[in-house]
Amino acid sequence: MAMYRKLGKKTKLRKALLRNQVTQLVYKGKIVTTEARAKEIQKIVEPMITLAAKEKDNYDTVTVQVKQAKKDKDGKRLKEEKDGKKVSVYETVDKQIRKDQPSRLHARRQLMKFLYPVVEVPAEGKNRRKNTKEVDLVAKLFDEYGAKYADRKGGYTRAIKIGQRKGDAAMMVVLEFV
């Protein structure tokens, strides 16, 4: 008996497919896929959520002093003239940052090893490149899903059957977080 489903794909293709679908499930919270793929995705996502729930509060809050550029009401940097050149004006502010404990850092790296990076690009507009931002899925796992499922012991996802696919009659399911 096999430990996993091969899904009719070679190893590299199967791993890439599962990584992509796990990443999209964490990012969007719900995906539509086949029943066999959903069962494999559940095997991967459930331990991730358990790890995130276990390590969700395992950090220290540290206050650091940061130099930050002063900005006007429009969000542009304030500049002053020094030695004939225009330079930005900076101020020192206190900032609270989270410093991971070693076990949380290890968990973060374990999760980052499997998830693909996700980039959000705005749909329309002239500043599409400027407004593009990368989504931190590991932080989403710790902050959102870890906090949500902290008191739950497994069973974080559910697969709802929605019928057969028209082309090959494969059973389709909606895989979502509970």
Side-chain angles (χ1 to χ4, degrees):
M1 184 171 175
M3 296 296 290
Y4 57 88
R5 292 167 182 81
K6 294 188 179 180
L7 304 175
K9 307 216 177 295
K10 293 187 177 184
T11 305
K12 287 184 179 181
L13 294 173
R14 181 177 58 250
K15 286 182 179 178
L17 172 88
L18 292 174
R19 279 183 72 186
N20 187 26
Q21 290 200 324
V22 167
T23 301
Q24 289 303 310
L25 178 64
V26 171
Y27 177 55
K28 295 181 179 176
K30 175 194 291 193
I31 59 171
V32 177
T33 186
T34 62
E35 189 175 19
R37 289 178 185 173
K39 288 179 180 178
E40 287 300 307
I41 293 166
Q42 281 179 320
K43 283 184 190 176
I44 298 167
V45 170
E46 299 274 334
M48 288 177 136
I49 300 295
T50 303
L51 187 62
K54 188 174 104 180
E55 298 290 339
K56 71 178 178 62
D57 293 328
N58 201 2
Y59 61 87
D60 297 327
T61 304
V62 181
T63 304
V64 294
Q65 289 188 338
V66 180
K67 278 190 173 182
Q68 190 174 22
K70 285 187 180 180
K71 296 186 179 180
D72 62 2
K73 62 181 180 186
D74 297 328
K76 294 183 179 178
R77 290 182 173 195
L78 291 176
K79 303 224 179 212
E80 66 180 24
E81 201 163 315
K82 284 188 181 176
D83 299 329
K85 293 182 181 179
K86 285 192 170 186
V87 293
S88 296
V89 180
Y90 290 95
E91 62 184 349
T92 305
V93 295
D94 290 337
K95 190 173 183 180
Q96 299 278 337
I97 61 168
R98 290 181 177 178
K99 185 177 177 189
D100 289 343
Q101 294 286 337
S103 61
R104 181 177 164 128
L105 181 63
H106 179 66
R108 177 181 296 279
R109 289 181 177 158
Q110 291 292 97
L111 295 173
M112 284 172 48
K113 186 167 67 171
F114 197 81
L115 296 171
Y116 281 129
V118 175
V119 178
E120 276 185 354
V121 180
E124 296 284 330
K126 57 184 176 184
N127 290 334
R128 285 184 68 188
R129 182 171 287 175
K130 184 179 177 183
N131 293 331
T132 300
K133 59 185 174 195
E134 191 166 323
V135 180
D136 189 4
L137 290 180
V138 178
K140 186 174 183 176
L141 274 168
F142 283 127
D143 298 337
E144 188 178 322
Y145 296 125
K148 184 177 178 183
Y149 299 119
D151 56 342
R152 192 176 178 108
K153 293 186 166 108
Y156 310 116
T157 57
R158 70 171 150 232
I160 302 167
K161 293 182 182 181
I162 57 173
Q164 293 180 328
R165 187 163 52 194
K166 189 170 184 173
D168 60 356
M171 182 56 73
M172 297 299 286
V173 298
V174 174
L175 185 64
E176 62 186 6
F177 288 108
V178 176

